[in-house]
Amino acid sequence: MVTVLVDRVKPMASELAPLPEGVAEVIFSSAELAAAVGRLAERIAADYRDREVLLVGVLKGALFFAADLARALHRAGLAPDRMTLDFIAVSSYGNSRRSSGEVRLLKDTSESAEGRHVLIVEDIVDNGHTLHYLRSMFGGRAPASLAACALLDKPFHRGVDVPVEYVGLEAPDEFVVGYGLDYQESYRHLPYVARLHPWVYRD
Ligand code: IMP
Ligand code: MG
C-alpha cells in the first residue's frame, strides 16, 4: 500500500501554475491562510469565552478574512449567541500602494458599539494609520472592551504606534494582493496572498 503524505502548508498544485497574468508568486497559500485563521480563532474563542464579541470586519479588504474567521470561531467552540458580525467600510487616501493616514469612513456599523466587546477585524496593518483611526473612533463610543485582529502584519513602516492584539502572519516588506487585498481594486478574489510582477504597477 502506498501512503501519500500531503504537505498542507505548501501552495496547492492548482495555486502554483498557471498563475494569473501579473501574479509573480504565491506568498501564503490558501491552506496556510486557513491554518492561520484557525489559530487566531482558537485564541479569540478562548479569550472571549466569558464575553459576547462584536466582530467588526473592515471592508473591503477583510471581507473574506472576517467571513472565514467568524466560521472558524464557531469551530473553535464560540457559542452562536456569543458573537455578532458587522462591517464597516473605510478608504485610505494616498497612492494605491501606501495609505497616507487620511482615512475616510464610507460605511458605519449597523450595531451600536456602546457597552460591547468590540473586535476590529482588519486585513493588513502597514503604517498603522487605518487601524489607529478605527481604534480612536470605536474607543470614543464607550465599548466595554476594544481589541484588533489583523490577518497580516507588515511592521516595517509604522507611522503610528498602534496595538494589534491578534496577528495571523507577518507579511514580507512588500505590497501583496489576494484574499481580499487589492491593487487598484483588482486581485481581491485570489484565494491566496501573492506578490505581483513589477510591471503591473502603474503608480
Ligand atoms: P495602513 O493604514 O498603512 O496600516 O494600511 C492599512 C490598509 O492599507 C489596509 O487595510 C489595506 O487596505 C491597505 N494595504 C496596506 N498594505 C497593503 C498591501 O500590501 N496590499 C494591499 N493593501 C494594503
Ligand atoms: Mg486597498
Side-chain angles (χ1 to χ4, degrees), residues 133-199:
Y133 169 90
L134 291 170
R135 288 194 82 116
S136 331
M137 193 184 78
F138 282 108
R141 294 179 176 183
S145 70
L146 180 61
C149 170
L151 175 66
L152 301 176
D153 185 20
K154 290 200 291 192
F156 317 100
H157 303 282
R158 282 290 198 278
V160 58
D161 190 21
V162 64
V164 193
E165 285 80 357
Y166 303 94
V167 171
L169 295 160
E170 185 171 302
D173 185 11
E174 60 188 312
F175 193 78
V176 294
V177 297
Y179 196 66
L181 295 162
D182 71 304
Y183 172 61
Q184 296 188 349
E185 293 302 326
S186 293
Y187 303 98
R188 281 194 204 281
H189 59 298
L190 297 176
Y192 43 75
V193 169
R195 84 164 54 88
L196 297 175
H197 288 292
W199 56 257

Side-chain angles (χ1 to χ4, degrees), residues 99 122-130 154 174-176 181-182:
S99 76
E122 255 283 38
D123 50 1
I124 188 165
V125 180
D126 182 16
N127 63 34
H129 287 299
T130 306
K154 290 200 291 192
E174 60 188 312
F175 193 78
V176 294
L181 295 162
D182 71 304

Side-chain angles (χ1 to χ4, degrees), residues 37 55-71 85-90 119-125 134 149-152 178-182 188:
V37 172
L55 276 194
V56 179
V58 184
L59 297 174
K60 299 175 193 171
L63 167 65
F64 303 116
F65 174 44
D68 287 344
L69 181 66
R71 290 174 291 183
L85 182 57
D86 204 344
F87 290 94
I88 197 164
V90 296
L119 179 60
I120 300 169
V121 179
E122 255 283 38
D123 50 1
I124 188 165
V125 180
L134 291 170
C149 170
L151 175 66
L152 301 176
Y179 196 66
L181 295 162
D182 71 304
R188 281 194 204 281

Side-chain angles (χ1 to χ4, degrees), residues 70-100:
R71 290 174 291 183
L73 283 168
H74 164 70
R75 288 192 294 277
L78 197 77
D81 62 349
R82 308 294 275 175
M83 188 189 77
T84 304
L85 182 57
D86 204 344
F87 290 94
I88 197 164
V90 296
S91 78
S92 312
Y93 290 108
N95 78 31
S96 49
R97 282 188 283 164
R98 183 131 286 158
S99 76
S100 65

Side-chain angles (χ1 to χ4, degrees), residues 8-12 15 26-34 191-193:
R8 293 186 178 278
V9 170
K10 294 264 164 59
M12 289 190 287
E15 294 182 352
V26 174
I27 295 174
F28 298 119
S29 67
S30 54
E32 275 180 290
L33 296 173
Y192 43 75
V193 169

